[in-house]
Amino acid sequence: MIYFDNAATTLQKPERVAQAVMEAMGTFGNPGRGVHEPAMAASRAVYDARCALAQLFRGENPARIAFTANATEALNIAIKGILNPGDHVITTAMEHNSVLRPLYELERQGVSLTTLPADRRGRVAYSDFEAAVQSNTRAIVCTHGSNLTGNLLDIGKIGTIAKAHGLSLIVDASQTAGVFPIDVQEMGIDILCFTGHKGLLGPQGTGGLYVREGVNVRPLLTGGSGVQSHSKTHPAQMPTALEAGTLNAHGLAGLNAGVRYLLETGIDIVRQKELDIMWAFYEGVKEIPGITVYGDFSQRERCPIVCLNVRDYDSSQVSDALFSQYGIATRPGAHCAPLMHDALGTGQRGAVRFSFSHYNTMEEINFAVSALREITQEE
């Protein structure tokens, strides 16, 4: 099998990730719930993972990293934790439903929402952010990179706009964490939401958020924390404030191993391999008659994603043929990004997404291009 569905989850991980999880399964107690060695081993591993992520994201303090099960949970915590009825929030048509659905829910509760449009290449105008600011605007919530087109947003530029107007900037880094450099302080990010199972090369069921010092987020969940057990209120200090219940310490041990691999290898090296592979694929398919490629390829720096359609075939039909006839794993459909599909004009049939890893090879790319040539010639 050739795996080109890394934007959904990275299948190939560094060997140390699985080893870390297996070791944790046999040695960890409950982190923060005791001083015996199994509990302390789990606590040390969780703290080490916070330190690795703070280093990767240039966070000022590991305590500002709170763990969740995934980016969806992190985004729900961030969005629902700072917005109130009467507030106004700005987002974009590039967003995943993990951003859109919480915002729609809050809209029904009295939060006003402006969604900036995207053009037919999936691009959003930065001037629209400035123009959308109102007197009651509280935050900008946006993706760093589209899971459908691979287009990047200049978060530093958006951060400057947010800072100029005193707005909170919440960023969905699901597709970019571990691939592109993220400096939360330099880019003006107040809350960064990430998942562990994609570019960070960790297990599923891991993720989290960075919260800037001085930014207060209402917890989505309250309950057991391991500290202040006699208090009727959940602890207010980070990261405990956003971590009710037992953490997935086994998974976080694997996440720590994945992040440490990236820090040692260098994300610039990883990204270069992924971009080389992606561009080779794009150059191979863009001129094939009957293939339509979506997104903005005018900039080299983009997520390692190519979405396309073949002739007038439904995207599921093409994806099924790729797997059943050629053993190539891709993802068809809407990709949880309905507004982007509306902008691209692919709302009915979706698109076939090829998303690449540094574990992929040029031989795999050449095979996939040949497969698409054959599919487009079928009557």
Side-chain angles (χ1 to χ4, degrees):
M1 183 190 70
I2 298 175
Y3 188 79
F4 289 148
D5 196 18
N6 293 280
T9 194
T10 46
L11 178 65
Q12 296 158 293
K13 318 277 189 182
E15 187 176 345
R16 67 176 76 179
V17 173
Q19 291 175 342
V21 174
M22 289 302 297
E23 182 178 342
M25 291 289 289
T27 58
F28 281 7
N30 197 322
R33 270 70 169 179
V35 294
H36 50 74
E37 179 53 31
M40 294 302 294
S43 294
R44 285 192 293 267
V46 170
Y47 180 71
D48 198 37
R50 292 192 211 280
C51 290
L53 287 159
Q55 180 181 348
L56 182 67
F57 298 141
R58 303 294 191 267
E60 66 271 25
N61 185 344
R64 306 310 297 180
I65 302 287
F67 289 119
T68 63
N70 44 54
T72 297
E73 183 181 351
L75 286 161
N76 271 264
I77 291 171
I79 291 168
K80 296 176 182 178
I82 70 166
L83 292 173
N84 300 293
D87 289 341
H88 172 249
V89 59
I90 300 167
T91 192
T92 80
M94 294 174 66
E95 307 308 316
H96 189 277
N97 274 335
S98 296
V99 169
L100 295 176
R101 285 175 173 167
L103 288 175
Y104 293 154
E105 181 181 344
L106 290 181
E107 189 176 29
R108 293 190 292 269
Q109 298 172 11
V111 173
S112 59
L113 172 65
T114 296
T115 303
L116 306 183
D119 64 16
R120 294 289 284 190
R121 294 170 68 182
R123 299 172 299 184
V124 174
Y126 294 102
S127 59
D128 286 351
F129 285 96
E130 190 87 43
V133 176
Q134 303 174 10
S135 60
N136 62 333
T137 304
R138 175 72 176 83
I140 296 172
V141 186
C142 65
T143 188
H144 188 189
S146 169
N147 73 314
L148 179 56
T149 64
N151 295 355
L152 291 177
L153 281 175
D154 186 337
I155 296 300
K157 184 178 293 187
I158 298 169
T160 299
I161 295 170
K163 184 177 180 180
H165 294 278
L167 310 180
S168 295
L169 176 59
I170 301 172
V171 175
D172 175 7
S174 296
Q175 295 298 331
T176 56
V179 180
F180 286 88
I182 296 175
D183 187 324
V184 292
Q185 298 184 72
E186 184 177 297
M187 298 166 85
I189 298 171
D190 293 291
I191 306 177
L192 180 78
C193 300
F194 58 90
T195 193
H197 67 99
K198 299 185 183 184
L200 293 177
L201 303 175
Q204 295 176 4
T206 62
L209 63 166
Y210 156 84
V211 181
R212 181 185 294 277
E213 190 80 45
V215 175
N216 295 314
V217 179
R218 288 188 305 273
L220 187 66
L221 301 174
T222 58
S225 61
V227 295
Q228 302 177 23
S229 294
H230 292 285
S231 173
K232 292 184 178 180
T233 59
H234 196 75
Q237 70 271 24
M238 284 286 290
T240 311
L242 304 180
E243 293 179 344
T246 297
L247 292 173
N248 176 13
H250 305 136
L252 294 176
L255 176 59
N256 182 46
V259 175
R260 295 288 175 186
Y261 166 85
L262 291 168
L263 290 170
E264 293 169 16
T265 304
I267 65 170
D268 292 343
I269 292 174
V270 170
R271 181 174 67 260
Q272 188 61 55
K273 289 182 179 179
E274 294 181 354
L275 288 176
D276 287 346
I277 287 168
M278 183 218 71
W279 280 107
F281 179 79
Y282 171 73
E283 293 296 334
V285 302
K286 69 176 184 178
E287 302 297 341
I288 297 177
I291 285 186
T292 302
V293 179
Y294 304 99
D296 180 14
F297 288 83
S298 64
Q299 300 294 324
R300 177 172 175 78
E301 291 292 296
R302 62 191 324 283
C303 295
I305 291 171
V306 177
C307 261
L308 56 82
N309 275 316
V310 176
R311 297 172 63 178
D312 59 352
Y313 299 150
D314 185 84
S315 62
S316 295
Q317 185 180 1
V318 175
S319 188
D320 287 347
L322 284 168
F323 190 71
S324 62
Q325 298 177 31
Y326 303 95
I328 300 172
T330 60
R331 183 178 171 185
H335 309 277
C336 303
L339 300 184
M340 183 56 76
H341 277 287
D342 290 344
L344 300 176
T346 53
Q348 292 299 312
R349 60 174 175 162
V352 183
R353 184 179 68 190
F354 293 75
S355 50
F356 306 102
S357 161
H358 67 293
Y359 287 109
N360 291 129
T361 66
M362 287 297 179
E363 289 76 16
E364 292 175 333
I365 294 300
N366 293 335
F367 182 76
V369 171
S370 296
L372 284 167
R373 288 187 183 278
E374 292 181 8
I375 289 174
T376 57
Q377 294 170 3
E378 293 177 1
E379 294 296 333

